[in-house]
Amino acid sequence: MSQKLLLDYGSGGKASQRLISGMFLKYLGNDRLNRLDDAAFLELSGPISMSTDTFTVDPLFFPGGDIGSLAVHGTVNDVAMLGARPRFITCGLILEEGLDMDVLERIIASVGRAARNAGVEVVTGDTKVVPRGAADKIFINTTGVGEIFVTPGPSGHSAKPGDAILISGTMGDHGLTILSKREGLSFDAPVESDSAALNHLIVRLLQEIPEIHVLRDPTRGGLATTLSEIALQSNVECFIREKDIPVREAVAGGCSFLGLDPLYLANEGKFICILPEKFADKALEIMRSDVLATNAQQIGEVRKDHPGKVVLETPIGGHRLLDMLEGAQLPRIC
Amino acid sequence: MSQKLLLDYGSGGKASQRLISGMFLKYLGNDRLNRLDDAAFLELSGPISMSTDTFTVDPLFFPGGDIGSLAVHGTVNDVAMLGARPRFITCGLILEEGLDMDVLERIIASVGRAARNAGVEVVTGDTKVVPRGAADKIFINTTGVGEIFVTPGPSGHSAKPGDAILISGTMGDHGLTILSKREGLSFDAPVESDSAALNHLIVRLLQEIPEIHVLRDPTRGGLATTLSEIALQSNVECFIREKDIPVREAVAGGCSFLGLDPLYLANEGKFICILPEKFADKALEIMRSDVLATNAQQIGEVRKDHPGKVVLETPIGGHRLLDMLEGAQLPRIC
């Protein structure tokens, strides 16, 4: 194969076949994918959780991950949040003519590694190559399916007054990492994306505590936006205490320097868990026993006073509404 | 909403919410999508067919369709080809900052119409907005799932010597339409894309004739490339007769003028059906009774003489190998 990606690799002809057999099957191959039919045959029994996400992150490689691993983690996590075991994902690539083939190979290898670690198979895919300038290097869509094993499963609509609000760890790591890498900033302490597959921890948590009301990962828009969505969907108030929200020192410092709020920055390996107060300690114990959630904390509780709102108690005891932002602090962070 | 798409619409914040509720739910809404959870809850019982496709077609609008309807048809057809009833699709959008909002609205409306006509629901989606110049207007990924209702279902691996090879209609309409629209060419007779959802016809055909060995839609790479894939997967020869392959006069004329071969041009509403010879007449009768396949024809048969090859008998009785092309005749046709 050439060192740069040619338009011909997206043609459906011989060049495409070489790309598929020489690279994609090498890193992603399994019995289902290897059949290369128009669609994949899956033994799955319902009900099923299905989620899709497109990744346009810039830069492609960053401390803690790359667009390939991120594309697997993002979709696997979303499928899991409905109370499901993610099983299969698809991989749709948009590639820019002229892309370095070794960059593509590193990314595909990373997709394969992340999928194996998460315990999912890439079962079908699609590759489009567009002329130079019609896309920026590489965009990846992944769509995942998995079997729901708790009914009723957790949902953003199910938060109840009296519930405890937990988060699985520090906020803002992914967003600040992408921004600082893109802008060439460096801080005293290094920052790193938290990108990770949460499904194994989620399954364990739900097997032990099927009474969990809400699971949601605070990605784009961060903790504040995701809690706002839940408050609106469940018509409740989410009351949280700033002093209990874990933020790494380097992230807090970087945010303060740049005028960003870590509560609005994206996370890619964290989740919000809302459940009846009496199960909170048990949930925290399970979460903290996993390397992905050692900093899990209860950060507040669900109330009925201000339906649809998120109220933050500041360290000195004041209260303020955390509104959903109009737009983005940062584009292209996932 | 503004007249041009802003980066904020992809932020996950309030602007995103307005785009989702003001436009996406208006045209695509249903009970599953309206929940707006991280993933969709689907009552599906296995086995399941799953397929993904990304659409980057240029121009966005063309005679016979647009990128929105094409994105639904392409995926619905691929899901159906495995012997399944397509039920649910996802919609992942990559949008370029500055895109005309009325262009976006026309496309989303078209996705909604095409999904209703095909009998599938859009159950979850994702929207990324990238800065001006990082993508060309709009790219759409759709991923579909459906229930497989014949076992063993049709597969590219199942062609057998003695089988008849049928196609459901004329070849090359979509590819030539896209090219002529893009290049501003016009021919004496107008050409039009054949983009259509084939699932209802496929279901009827398989219910009547579950013995069908292969179903495949000849999209990118056209009839020649798709038959080459089947010949390789099944380790058989596909023998076809040029005189029996239906091609519209306008398409034949345009191809002749441009030096293109209609057997290598993409189709988006046709399928190849390979089945035991004794069922060929019945299959043709069913196909011709449907408006999408009035020009269905038997074009040849499966042989064992040249495994992995497609052999074309020319109108004067000569034989030539139809090789898979190295690259594309045309980029960005779907």
Side-chain angles (χ1 to χ4, degrees), chain A residues 7-8 10-15 17-18 35-42 44-54 56 78-79 81-82 90 92 94 124-128 130-131 133-136 139 141 143 145 148 155-157 216-217 220-221 225 229 233 323-328 331-332 334, chain B residues 7-8 10-15 17-18 35-42 44-54 56 78-79 81-82 90 92 94 124-128 130-131 133-136 139 141 143 145 148 155-157 216-217 220-221 225 229 233 323-328 331-332 334:
Chain A
L7 272 175
D8 281 352
S11 64
K14 283 185 186 173
Q17 302 278 337
R18 279 203 303 279
R35 289 184 67 80
L36 297 177
D37 268 325
D38 278 349
F41 180 102
L42 310 179
L44 262 186
S45 54
I48 283 167
S49 166
M50 183 176 197
S51 189
T52 191
D53 226 329
T54 305
T56 63
D78 280 347
V79 169
M81 294 301 149
L82 222 62
T90 63
I94 298 175
T124 188
D126 175 60
T127 305
K128 293 288 168 4
V130 297
D136 186 13
F139 300 145
N141 176 280
T143 302
V145 289
I148 293 174
S155 160
H157 298 258
R216 193 62 82 79
D217 52 343
R220 259 189 300 185
T225 301
E229 287 171 16
Q233 288 182 317
D323 209 357
M324 210 180 270
L325 289 190
E326 168 65 18
R332 297 187 68 186
C334 61
Chain B
L7 272 176
D8 281 351
S11 65
K14 284 184 184 175
Q17 300 280 338
R18 279 203 303 281
R35 290 185 67 81
L36 298 177
D37 267 324
D38 280 350
F41 180 101
L42 309 179
L44 263 186
S45 55
I48 282 167
S49 166
M50 183 176 197
S51 189
T52 191
D53 226 329
T54 305
T56 62
D78 280 347
V79 169
M81 295 299 150
L82 221 62
T90 63
I94 298 176
T124 188
D126 175 60
T127 305
K128 293 287 168 10
V130 297
D136 187 12
F139 300 144
N141 175 282
T143 302
V145 289
I148 294 175
S155 160
H157 298 259
R216 192 63 80 83
D217 52 344
R220 259 188 302 183
T225 301
E229 286 172 15
Q233 288 182 317
D323 210 356
M324 209 180 273
L325 289 190
E326 167 66 16
R332 297 188 66 187
C334 61

Side-chain angles (χ1 to χ4, degrees), chain B:
Chain B
M1 282 190 279
S2 62
Q3 292 189 303
K4 299 280 185 180
L5 187 82
L6 308 174
L7 272 176
D8 281 351
Y9 287 114
S11 65
K14 284 184 184 175
S16 295
Q17 300 280 338
R18 279 203 303 281
L19 184 66
I20 291 169
S21 54
M23 189 186 295
F24 297 164
L25 294 186
K26 176 175 167 193
Y27 292 106
L28 310 178
N30 58 64
D31 290 348
R32 292 178 183 83
L33 185 66
N34 297 353
R35 290 185 67 81
L36 298 177
D37 267 324
D38 280 350
F41 180 101
L42 309 179
E43 310 80 4
L44 263 186
S45 55
I48 282 167
S49 166
M50 183 176 197
S51 189
T52 191
D53 226 329
T54 305
F55 297 84
T56 62
V57 66
D58 169 35
L60 300 177
F61 301 93
F62 47 83
D66 56 68
I67 191 172
S69 54
L70 186 65
V72 174
H73 297 155
T75 288
V76 160
N77 292 348
D78 280 347
V79 169
M81 295 299 150
L82 221 62
R85 276 187 195 84
R87 295 274 311 277
F88 305 114
I89 63 171
T90 63
C91 182
L93 301 171
I94 298 176
L95 307 176
E96 184 187 11
E97 178 189 16
L99 178 68
D100 279 332
M101 290 298 279
D102 61 348
V103 165
L104 179 61
E105 183 155 13
R106 281 173 65 196
I107 292 169
I108 299 299
S110 176
V111 168
R113 248 189 330 268
R116 271 190 304 282
N117 289 342
V120 296
E121 283 179 21
V122 178
V123 289
T124 188
D126 175 60
T127 305
K128 293 287 168 10
V129 182
V130 297
R132 216 177 284 263
D136 187 12
K137 298 188 282 293
I138 174 167
F139 300 144
I140 305 182
N141 175 282
T142 53
T143 302
V145 289
E147 286 152 329
I148 294 175
F149 64 95
V150 277
T151 2
S155 160
H157 298 259
S158 304
K160 300 272 180 304
D163 283 355
I165 302 175
L166 319 181
I167 54 174
S168 68
T170 55
M171 292 289 104
D173 301 69
H174 179 75
L176 192 74
T177 302
I178 297 300
L179 181 71
S180 57
K181 173 83 181 170
R182 189 155 69 202
E183 306 299 335
L185 303 172
S186 65
F187 306 112
D188 289 346
V191 291
E192 190 171 277
S193 169
D194 57 348
S195 177
L198 298 166
N199 53 316
H200 298 305
L201 172 55
I202 293 290
V203 167
R204 202 151 65 85
L205 200 56
L206 280 168
Q207 278 174 331
E208 298 277 333
I209 315 174
E211 296 85 355
I212 288 171
H213 287 158
V214 182
L215 289 173
R216 192 63 80 83
D217 52 344
T219 54
R220 259 188 302 183
L223 179 67
T225 301
T226 309
L227 283 178
S228 286
E229 286 172 15
I230 296 168
L232 286 168
Q233 288 182 317
S234 294
N235 200 33
V236 294
E237 172 188 329
C238 291
F239 178 88
I240 57 175
R241 294 174 190 85
E242 192 168 358
K243 71 173 173 50
D244 294 331
I245 301 170
V247 178
R248 275 183 217 289
E249 213 169 310
V251 172
C255 281
S256 156
F257 176 71
L258 295 165
L260 297 170
D261 184 340
L263 303 190
Y264 287 94
L265 288 181
N267 309 280
E268 292 290 347
K270 301 289 160 49
F271 62 96
I272 298 166
C273 173
I274 300 181
L275 78 181
E277 180 75 42
K278 63 180 171 185
F279 298 112
D281 286 344
K282 185 173 172 191
L284 286 171
E285 193 185 315
I286 295 167
M287 286 155 80
R288 288 174 185 157
S289 73
D290 191 298
V291 66
L292 294 176
T294 45
N295 295 312
Q297 289 289 349
Q298 175 163 354
I299 59 167
E301 59 263 352
V302 178
R303 296 182 174 181
K304 57 185 173 193
D305 306 354
H306 303 92
K309 303 289 180 192
V310 181
V311 176
L312 179 80
E313 187 181 83
T314 64
I316 55 166
H319 288 180
R320 69 179 174 95
L321 287 180
L322 277 191
D323 210 356
M324 209 180 273
L325 289 190
E326 167 66 16
Q329 293 197 117
L330 310 166
R332 297 188 66 187
I333 42 78
C334 61

